[in-house]
Amino acid sequence: MGPWKRFLLPVSVILLAGCTTTGGPTSAASPPVPTPAGSGAAGCGSRVETGPLPEWARTGFSGDARMPHVMGENGDIVAALFGHPLRVTREDGSSNKILWVSRAAGTSPDPASSPTLEITATLNGTDTRVSREVAGGPGPSIIDLPQAGCWHLELRWSGRTDTVDLVYAPE
């Protein structure tokens, strides 16, 4: 390789790196966790973050509260995934533990509405729909779903609503 080629190659790499755009400011957030192979969940809407939980969701946690979590589409709830990755079958004795943390309401919740967290889960691309409940409202839960894939969860509690997509791997 001649002297010019040895000079131009590193300069080209530096120039190309400087010309890329990120689409906005960068943050210390972790990259999204890949969708498990064989889950049939390509294009699942909500991404699993592995950085710190939002400030408002850290009560009871110590340190920087880094853990896998999914934010609700409206930003009113976060699913902290203690059982990450979520699985249809768990042969190791662990569970699909999810801690649901609700952002404090700006207004008083509707006193006539149930505080129970009602979950309607629909498997993407199918008519498969199941319901789950978390008594007492957002909090600790074990949420098992019947099939692998991307599940769209409609969440209702105390007169509030939000949605998340969660991927369940086969095993």
Side-chain angles (χ1 to χ4, degrees), residues 5-155:
K5 287 183 182 177
R6 275 185 257 151
F7 171 75
L8 288 177
L9 182 61
V11 170
S12 299
V13 170
I14 291 170
L15 286 174
L16 284 173
C19 292
T20 60
T21 62
T22 61
T26 59
S27 68
S30 303
V33 175
T35 299
S39 68
C44 198
S46 304
R47 54 182 237 180
V48 176
E49 300 287 340
T50 56
L53 291 168
E55 288 285 335
W56 55 265
R58 294 184 189 178
T59 301
F61 287 87
S62 60
D64 66 3
R66 287 183 181 275
M67 69 174 318
H69 62 279
V70 176
M71 289 291 302
E73 185 177 322
N74 298 333
D76 288 333
I77 198 163
V78 64
L81 306 175
F82 286 86
H84 184 69
L86 301 171
R87 299 189 181 282
V88 172
T89 305
R90 290 188 167 274
E91 296 181 12
D92 63 357
S94 63
S95 62
N96 290 317
K97 182 177 180 181
I98 301 172
L99 174 62
W100 300 97
V101 183
S102 172
R103 182 188 296 265
T107 60
S108 296
D110 178 358
S113 66
S114 171
T116 297
L117 175 61
E118 298 171 358
I119 302 169
T120 303
T122 306
L123 181 61
N124 280 5
T126 73
D127 291 332
T128 303
R129 180 175 285 191
V130 297
S131 296
R132 302 289 186 261
E133 288 187 348
V134 179
S141 68
I142 305 296
I143 304 295
D144 293 324
L145 295 176
Q147 285 179 246
C150 179
W151 288 85
H152 179 74
L153 280 64
E154 296 174 16
L155 310 166

